[in-house]
Amino acid sequence: MADFDGDGRLDLLSGSNCCDPYGLHLFRRRTDGSFEPRRHLEVDVPSGDRESPTHQSRPFVTDWDSDGRPDLLFTTTKATCPYVGTLWPDDDEPMPMRRIDLPGPPRQMSGNLAVADWDGDGLADLLLSQWHEREAGRISWFRNVGRPGQPLYEEGRTLVSGTERPPYNSGFCVIDWDGDRQLDLLVARVEYHQDPSKPTGWDVRGRLWLYPHGVGDRPDDAYSLGERRAVEVEGKPLIVDDYAAFPALGDLDGDGRPDLLLGDARGFLKVYRNVGGAGRLRLAAPVRFGEFCNDERIPTG
């Protein structure tokens, strides 16, 4: 979520489902707190990087060049690098993007990306979910050793390992979950269990796991995570049928507390309102994004 038009209200930007790899969906916030119907946007990556339209887009909004305005960090589930765009078009023309070349061997993205000051040194680092050899869903931290507006990254260090077979890490986000002023990882995992009653023979479900993080006095402490624990809704583990959607957090209902937003395999969005106190997230049963916007579904290919 970010204020795209400078009106002081947080808008919502979503990636795409299959098969719209260079498309995005923008929901602008109205004065009453609801959202306008989605507006389809597109990005323009270098022509040599374009792939066949069989994958999905993954955006992240950040102030890349430290000019006080939101920029777009972008990748797809077939790309081997992220892209950045700093000039939002005034009309419906595609947003021009350029590559971000990272140290180390190129690796295909298997999930999403995030920008956060993971080690607490005042510089925004890059976190990516990638294939690594035969591992899917490895989440790595690329430490920024540049300066504000001119990031320079070290080679990625593993925060959460991937897997060669189910369950898989499908997405993540960065959030100070417990209000201790240290960033934590919220990770979605998709699990497969054999079930002859299902048409595919498999029961597919998603779960959310919290990996607490403590920033120490040395940079090496920054990639040490505590023992994971299940994210709960009303005292029970949060389980999503059919798909482990990418988690996102933002104040959807305008009460000043971050809520949880999840999608599903059919493109519908669900909101888990935060009803906890300061620094203590407590999630209520989900409501459909349709309570905030008449246009609640991300199209599927």
Side-chain angles (χ1 to χ4, degrees), residues 12-18 20-27 38-41 55-61 72-76 112-113 246 248 261 267 269 297-300:
L12 175 65
L13 185 70
S14 168
S16 68
N17 281 303
C18 186
D20 183 22
Y22 304 109
L24 306 167
H25 301 280
L26 175 62
F27 299 83
R38 59 180 169 80
R39 175 187 170 194
H40 186 262
L41 305 176
H55 46 299
Q56 302 89 32
S57 67
R58 300 292 178 246
F60 189 88
V61 179
L72 178 65
L73 203 63
F74 175 88
T75 193
T76 75
N112 57 311
L113 71 173
F246 290 19
L261 183 67
L269 302 174
R297 184 170 179 265
I298 304 299
T300 56

Side-chain angles (χ1 to χ4, degrees), residues 145-164:
V145 293
R147 54 186 179 180
Q150 297 181 352
L152 178 66
Y153 298 109
E154 293 181 340
E155 190 166 348
R157 309 186 201 185
T158 301
L159 295 178
V160 179
S161 297
T163 54
E164 294 187 28

Side-chain angles (χ1 to χ4, degrees), residues 149-212:
Q150 297 181 352
L152 178 66
Y153 298 109
E154 293 181 340
E155 190 166 348
R157 309 186 201 185
T158 301
L159 295 178
V160 179
S161 297
T163 54
E164 294 187 28
R165 55 183 61 88
Y168 298 116
N169 298 327
S170 61
F172 72 93
C173 67
V174 180
I175 178 71
D176 179 6
W177 182 267
D178 49 12
D180 63 356
R181 299 185 181 180
Q182 296 174 339
L183 297 176
D184 309 303
L185 270 185
L186 191 63
V187 180
R189 288 172 69 86
V190 59
E191 302 175 351
Y192 294 77
H193 303 281
Q194 287 187 319
D195 186 345
S197 68
K198 300 289 185 181
T200 63
W202 293 92
D203 178 30
V204 184
R205 295 189 174 189
R207 299 186 65 178
L208 286 183
W209 297 92
L210 176 68
Y211 289 79

Side-chain angles (χ1 to χ4, degrees), residues 21-198:
Y22 304 109
L24 306 167
H25 301 280
L26 175 62
F27 299 83
R28 291 191 183 276
R29 178 96 71 162
R30 296 186 174 115
T31 55
D32 64 359
S34 66
F35 291 87
E36 295 179 2
R38 59 180 169 80
R39 175 187 170 194
H40 186 262
L41 305 176
E42 291 191 359
V43 300
D44 184 17
V45 303
S47 58
D49 290 5
R50 296 186 74 88
E51 300 276 356
S52 58
T54 58
H55 46 299
Q56 302 89 32
S57 67
R58 300 292 178 246
F60 189 88
V61 179
T62 183
D63 184 6
W64 179 261
D65 51 12
S66 299
D67 65 354
R69 296 178 295 184
D71 305 311
L72 178 65
L73 203 63
F74 175 88
T75 193
T76 75
T77 51
K78 274 195 174 181
T80 57
C81 71
Y83 302 86
V84 65
T86 58
L87 298 174
W88 293 91
D90 294 328
D91 49 26
D92 290 329
E93 290 295 315
M95 183 179 188
M97 310 292 290
R98 59 180 175 84
R99 290 174 61 101
I100 301 172
D101 291 317
L102 298 173
R107 304 190 187 280
Q108 183 177 326
M109 303 295 173
S110 61
N112 57 311
L113 71 173
V115 173
D117 182 8
W118 186 253
D119 57 356
D121 66 354
L123 294 173
D125 307 307
L126 184 62
L127 287 81
L128 298 177
S129 178
Q130 301 170 296
W131 285 90
H132 194 282
E133 305 301 334
R134 291 180 293 178
E135 285 184 24
R138 177 181 289 196
I139 301 172
S140 298
W141 163 50
F142 292 77
R143 187 184 180 212
N144 184 359
V145 293
R147 54 186 179 180
Q150 297 181 352
L152 178 66
Y153 298 109
E154 293 181 340
E155 190 166 348
R157 309 186 201 185
T158 301
L159 295 178
V160 179
S161 297
T163 54
E164 294 187 28
R165 55 183 61 88
Y168 298 116
N169 298 327
S170 61
F172 72 93
C173 67
V174 180
I175 178 71
D176 179 6
W177 182 267
D178 49 12
D180 63 356
R181 299 185 181 180
Q182 296 174 339
L183 297 176
D184 309 303
L185 270 185
L186 191 63
V187 180
R189 288 172 69 86
V190 59
E191 302 175 351
Y192 294 77
H193 303 281
Q194 287 187 319
D195 186 345
S197 68
K198 300 289 185 181

Side-chain angles (χ1 to χ4, degrees), residues 232-254:
E232 296 184 343
V233 174
E234 297 184 340
K236 298 179 180 179
L238 192 162
I239 298 177
V240 182
D241 290 336
D242 297 328
Y243 188 70
F246 290 19
L249 286 128
D251 183 8
L252 270 294
D253 55 9

Side-chain angles (χ1 to χ4, degrees), residues 1-21:
M1 298 186 71
D3 181 5
F4 285 90
D5 47 16
D7 61 5
R9 299 187 293 271
L10 292 179
D11 309 303
L12 175 65
L13 185 70
S14 168
S16 68
N17 281 303
C18 186
C19 298
D20 183 22

